[in-house]
Amino acid sequence: MRQETTQTINDFLSQMYYVWDQLALSEPPWDCTKDAALFTTYRDQHRLVQFLMALTSCFAPVRSSHLHRTHFPTL
């Protein structure tokens, strides 16, 4: 999935959230709350990277700035 050149960030993010929500339906249930919290953190960071990498090239400076951080921001 990639952002179209005419597509706004908000429209693209909404489209990504729709796909992520569909994929979340297949995630396993977690018995341990610690494991669930770790998985949620991992999943959120992975989604941020997916989103940044799918943006158009005009967002390359923003993408590289965020990907070089030690702690990722949240969507």
Side-chain angles (χ1 to χ4, degrees), residues 24-60:
L25 296 174
S26 67
E27 292 174 0
W30 296 95
D31 296 328
C32 177
T33 56
K34 184 178 178 184
D35 289 343
L38 287 172
F39 176 75
T40 301
T41 301
Y42 166 79
R43 183 191 62 206
D44 291 345
Q45 289 177 350
H46 191 256
R47 286 178 176 182
L48 175 65
V49 171
Q50 284 179 329
F51 174 72
L52 290 172
M53 296 306 293
L55 293 176
T56 59
S57 61
C58 67
F59 291 102

Side-chain angles (χ1 to χ4, degrees), residues 10-24:
N10 288 335
D11 289 342
F12 180 61
L13 184 57
S14 294
Q15 187 179 11
M16 293 286 285
Y17 270 126
Y18 176 78
V19 171
W20 290 332
D21 289 343
Q22 296 300 310
L23 290 171

